[in-house]
């Protein structure tokens, strides 16, 4: 049975494990010591996961934010700003409109640099310290670069980010720049940037902190833990479904790992596992294609386009971890058009929740699945919103109303308001 199955037994430590922690290939099962050398993938070419011989759960957690869950992470503490403990909004009007039993918004845009990437970076940069590496690097549609720049700065490490030229929202470039990253604007899309940065990492030029790095996903696992805890407290049960935007499918993989470890630990029944539901923009939807076709791999899309630039990705590297997650939890994947994303962004904003376009894809996807009859009336649903409205001020301004020029006197303003 695949170690990625929800029914897989809890693993036991191989000789390579150090203090009960090791890296394990999701395909061939080869194990590696976690911090002996820099390694992102298995010698067979497949993806690695961090594995533990003990899986502490709810009783072992204490404090707030990502490091509340340190018992389920490879370190006691990390390079922290601090991150996690994000809002879990009620959205009564949207809940009514969508017509499900309950709808909550987990707003990951409220992390220190405005996206969920901070959860991954607090662990990822701590890992870099453990390995004693020099320069940190990532390819990015923007948010990863902002997080890497900030956490790298905090740790006093040099950072290098590769961005697709002209396709990164203004707020994100500004963050990477001010936090001190060296920014390379690449003539190509995100997938090209990732190819290059992987080559640089393989040549020892930099330590890779994209979600291909298994340690980053450990931090992102805590999104799931926070949602489950808060949902149980409010409703006495776990959510039936979690809907999230998908780019490289790192979060999808991380949430699935969170659920799998809880099941293996005996802390959650298999039938309590939320259905993982991925949403992509129609112009960049290789994961949706793979789910619809029942494929085990995604096909690389060379031409991708969407207003949701954060998820403008044609070659989701974590697909081998995420596709089983969607399937084994009984979830699905759906593609949404840009105008539906923008409308969802407006409607979330109308509930006071300011998100960037990629984030709004989750609500747009839920709406589409409701229309299709793929989500039942009695479901309790959580939508993940991954980045803050201010990340992409141009998209927000374009989606919102235009400012109205008025004269600089009260009479003139009154006149304008009356007209
Ligand atoms: N939402 C936002 C706001 C993102 O920035 C990203 C990914 C995703 C969703 C998709 O998450 O890759 O785990 O499926 N942004 C990366 C970046 C690619 O470079 O900032 P995923």
């Amino acid at each position: 049975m695949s170690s990625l199955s929800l029914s897989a037994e809890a693993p036991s430590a191989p000789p390579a494990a150090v203090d009960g922690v090791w890296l394990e290939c999701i395909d061939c099962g080869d194990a590696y010591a976690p911090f002996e050398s820099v390694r992102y993938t298995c010698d067979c070419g497949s993806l690695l996961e961090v594995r533990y011989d003990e899986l502490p759960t709810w009783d072992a957690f204490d404090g707030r934010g990502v490091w509340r869950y340190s018992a389920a992470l490879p370190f006691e503490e990390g390079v922290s700003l601090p991150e996690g403990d994000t809002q879990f909004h009620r959205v009564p009007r949207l809940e009514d409109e969508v017509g499900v039993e309950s709808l909550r918004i987990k707003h990951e845009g409220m992390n220190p640099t405005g996206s969920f990437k901070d959860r991954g970076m607090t662990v990822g940069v701590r890992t870099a310290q453990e390995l004693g590496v020099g320069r940190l690097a990532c390819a990015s549609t923007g948010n990863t670069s902002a997080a890497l720049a900030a956490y790298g700065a905090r740790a006093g490490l040099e950072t290098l980010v590769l961005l697709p030229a002209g396709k990164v929202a203004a707020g994100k470039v500004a963050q990477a720049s001010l936090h001190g990253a060296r920014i390379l604007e690449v003539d190509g899309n995100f997938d090209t940037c990732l190819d290059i940065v992987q080559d640089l990492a393989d040549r020892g030029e930099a330590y890779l902190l994209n979600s291909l790095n298994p340690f980053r996903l450990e931090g992102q696992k805590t999104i799931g833990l926070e949602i489950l805890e808060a949902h149980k407290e409010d409703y006495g049960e776990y959510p039936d479904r979690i809907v999230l935007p998908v780019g490289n499918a790192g979060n999808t993989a991380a949430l699935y790992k969170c659920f799998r470890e809880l099941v293996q630990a005996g802390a959650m029944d298999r039938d309590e596992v939320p259905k993982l539901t991925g949403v992509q923009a129609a112009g960049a939807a290789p994961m949706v294609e793979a789910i619809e076709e029942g494929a085990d791999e995604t096909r690389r899309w060379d031409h991708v386009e969407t207003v949701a630039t954060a998820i403008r990705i044609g070659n989701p590297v974590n697909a081998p971890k995420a596709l089983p997650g969607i399937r084994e939890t009984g979830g699905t994947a759906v593609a949404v058009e840009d105008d539906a994303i923008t409308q969802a962004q407006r409607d979330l904003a109308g509930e006071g929740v300011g998100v960037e376009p990629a984030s709004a894809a989750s609500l747009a996807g839920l709406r589409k699945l409701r229309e299709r009859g793929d989500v039942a009336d009695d479901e309790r649903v959580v939508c993940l919103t991954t980045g803050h409205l201010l990340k992409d001020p141009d998209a927000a301004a374009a989606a919102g109303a235009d400012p109205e020029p008025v004269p600089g006197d009260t009479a003139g303003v009154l006149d304008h308001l009356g007209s």
Side-chain angles (χ1 to χ4, degrees):
M1 182 191 302
S2 159
S3 64
L4 293 187
S5 164
L6 255 191
S7 322
E9 296 277 306
S12 48
V18 177
D19 297 331
V21 182
W22 68 99
L23 290 169
E24 189 172 305
C25 175
I26 64 166
D27 277 329
C28 76
D30 275 4
Y32 302 92
F35 309 117
E36 205 173 79
S37 59
V38 173
R39 156 175 298 283
Y40 313 103
T41 52
C42 181
D43 286 342
C44 80
S46 287
L47 301 176
L48 297 173
E49 267 192 351
V50 180
R51 298 265 162 92
Y52 309 89
D53 72 345
E54 281 177 28
L55 296 169
T57 65
W58 309 122
D59 294 345
F61 301 150
D62 185 34
R64 302 181 83 88
V66 166
W67 295 99
R68 167 179 176 75
Y69 305 103
S70 60
L73 298 173
F75 304 102
E76 284 293 305
E77 53 190 2
V79 177
S80 183
L81 287 174
E83 47 295 306
D85 200 15
T86 53
Q87 279 85 341
F88 195 44
H89 292 290
R90 292 178 196 271
V91 282
R93 287 187 296 266
L94 287 173
E95 184 179 273
D96 269 359
E97 177 239 309
V98 174
V100 285
E101 180 69 23
S102 61
L103 175 62
R104 297 292 285 269
I105 306 294
K106 179 67 170 168
H107 194 8
E108 285 296 297
M110 300 307 288
N111 275 294
T113 77
S115 85
F116 69 91
K117 307 287 181 182
D118 298 344
R119 292 183 189 262
M121 284 306 168
T122 186
V123 178
V125 174
R126 174 71 186 81
T127 307
Q129 290 177 325
E130 191 75 14
L131 289 163
V133 296
R135 181 161 54 185
L136 312 180
C138 71
S140 183
T141 56
N143 283 322
T144 303
S145 71
L148 179 67
Y151 282 81
R154 187 76 176 190
L157 292 167
E158 195 188 327
T159 55
L160 175 69
V161 306
L162 280 75
L163 307 181
K167 296 293 183 181
V168 177
K172 306 174 189 183
V173 184
Q175 286 179 291
S177 160
L178 191 60
H179 286 301
R182 186 159 175 199
I183 303 174
L184 306 185
E185 283 193 326
V186 176
D187 178 19
N189 61 24
F190 167 83
D191 304 293
T192 311
C193 296
L194 188 57
D195 289 343
I196 297 171
V197 83
Q198 273 186 260
D199 280 343
L200 294 179
D202 287 345
R203 288 163 199 236
E205 291 287 335
Y207 182 63
L208 180 76
L209 274 165
N210 281 97
S211 55
L212 193 65
N213 185 318
F215 290 99
R216 252 200 48 196
L217 298 187
E218 291 307 290
Q220 289 172 216
K221 218 169 62 172
T222 63
I223 302 174
L225 293 167
E226 272 183 28
I227 290 175
L228 295 178
E229 275 196 305
H231 203 277
K232 187 127 194 173
E233 197 172 308
D234 288 348
Y235 303 106
E237 55 187 301
Y238 298 131
D240 297 303
R241 187 181 295 274
I242 297 180
V243 186
L244 74 164
V246 174
N248 252 329
N251 256 347
T252 316
L255 285 170
Y256 181 47
K257 187 169 193 280
C258 164
F259 303 154
R260 231 171 51 229
E261 289 180 347
L262 289 170
V263 171
Q264 287 173 344
M268 182 161 72
D269 291 339
R270 255 203 81 149
D271 59 10
E272 289 181 306
V273 173
K275 296 176 168 61
L276 273 176
T277 301
V279 186
Q280 293 194 298
M287 283 283 289
V288 178
E289 182 180 70
I291 288 290
E292 285 175 353
E293 292 176 356
D296 288 335
E297 287 172 8
T298 48
R299 180 176 67 83
R300 182 174 177 137
W301 288 28
D302 287 324
H303 300 286
V304 282
E305 206 48 81
T306 168
V307 66
T309 51
I311 52 172
R312 186 177 170 274
I313 294 174
N315 186 33
V317 289
N318 287 298
K321 292 177 174 177
L323 289 170
I326 291 173
R327 293 199 173 108
E328 292 245 344
T329 61
T332 187
V334 64
V336 291
E337 300 296 334
D338 278 3
D339 55 359
I341 291 176
T342 301
Q343 191 54 49
Q345 189 191 17
R346 280 191 202 105
D347 295 337
L348 281 162
E351 291 267 35
V353 183
V355 307
E356 68 166 290
S359 302
S362 56
L363 175 62
L366 175 62
R367 281 173 164 163
K368 185 157 175 185
L369 291 170
R370 282 288 294 158
E371 276 163 26
R372 280 195 198 161
D374 289 344
V375 172
D377 300 351
D378 61 357
E379 286 193 29
R380 293 196 183 278
V381 182
V382 175
C383 281
L384 199 63
T385 55
T386 41
H388 198 275
L389 178 153
L390 291 173
K391 288 283 193 171
D392 192 342
D394 298 321
D402 290 335
E404 302 163 47
V406 291
D409 59 85
T410 308
V413 169
L414 280 172
D415 195 41
H416 178 83
L417 287 174
S419 67

